[in-house]
Structures are given as structure tokens and as C-alpha cells.
Amino acid sequence: MTIKTIAAQPAEKKKLRVAAYCRVSTENDDQRDSLETQKAHFTAWIKMHSDWEFAGIFYGYLSQLKDNLKTAINLCNPQSAEALAERMRQLQQELLDRTEKG
């Protein structure tokens, strides 16, 4: 009887789909600058992770974003939606920390 060894094939790792969600409260000029900064930051952050798939960026003013957030989450699987929510909490804390330090 001959036993043939078959090498295991590495499992293909599926990329995590990640969408960015950015918002500001008003349409004031300083808020517009903040929105552009957020968009650039989140886009760069997502794209620097080779194991993440950029699913899109959703942004606007507070009054416009309820539907945009739903769309962003729906583009991602539940695991990605959790990653999105966690990262949003982290960035919010970082922003608060930086604001307090002045």
C-alpha cells in the first residue's frame, strides 16, 4: 500500500471590507475643512492596510448622513461593520484627546 502525501493549500484570506463615514455638524467654512481632513485621513488609513478592501467613503453634513451611514454599513459584512464602529470610537477619542491638549 502506498501513501501519498498531499500538501495543504493555504487558505485564501478574504479581505475585510471597510467603509469610511465622515461628518460635520454645519456647513461653515471651518467645518468644510474638517470634513476634507476627515475624508483624507480615513481614506489613507484604510488604504494603508493591505488586508482591507476599500468599500467607499460616505460624508456630508449631520442632516444628510443617516442614510449614508446605513449604506456604508450595508456595503460591509457584519464583521466589517463592527470594525468600522470600533475605529470610529477610537478616532473620536483621539480627537477629543487632541482637542483637550490644545
Side-chain angles (χ1 to χ4, degrees):
M1 178 165 143
T2 304
I3 297 175
K4 182 178 179 181
T5 302
I6 301 173
Q9 298 294 320
E12 184 178 323
K13 185 174 180 183
K14 189 173 180 178
K15 289 188 174 191
L16 183 67
R17 289 179 51 88
V18 179
Y21 172 77
C22 309
R23 72 164 182 86
V24 292
S25 300
T26 68
E27 294 186 41
N28 295 340
D29 287 341
D30 60 331
Q31 295 272 301
R32 286 187 191 133
D33 290 343
S34 172
L35 184 58
E36 293 305 315
T37 301
Q38 289 179 55
K39 288 166 44 181
H41 173 80
F42 280 114
T43 299
W45 180 261
I46 293 169
K47 289 185 175 184
M48 72 183 237
H49 291 84
S50 61
D51 57 337
W52 289 3
E53 177 184 345
F54 184 69
I57 186 165
F58 301 87
Y59 57 90
Y61 305 100
L62 183 59
S63 61
Q64 304 166 324
L65 290 179
K66 185 176 180 183
D67 291 332
N68 285 347
L69 180 59
K70 287 180 186 177
T71 302
I73 292 173
N74 287 334
L75 275 175
C76 302
N77 62 37
Q79 181 183 6
S80 296
E82 289 176 24
L84 171 67
E86 178 57 28
R87 185 63 188 143
M88 287 174 64
R89 282 191 292 273
Q90 291 171 355
L91 289 171
Q92 180 183 21
Q93 187 59 52
E94 288 175 22
L95 180 61
L96 289 172
D97 292 346
R98 288 181 188 174
T99 303
E100 290 174 0
K101 289 179 183 177

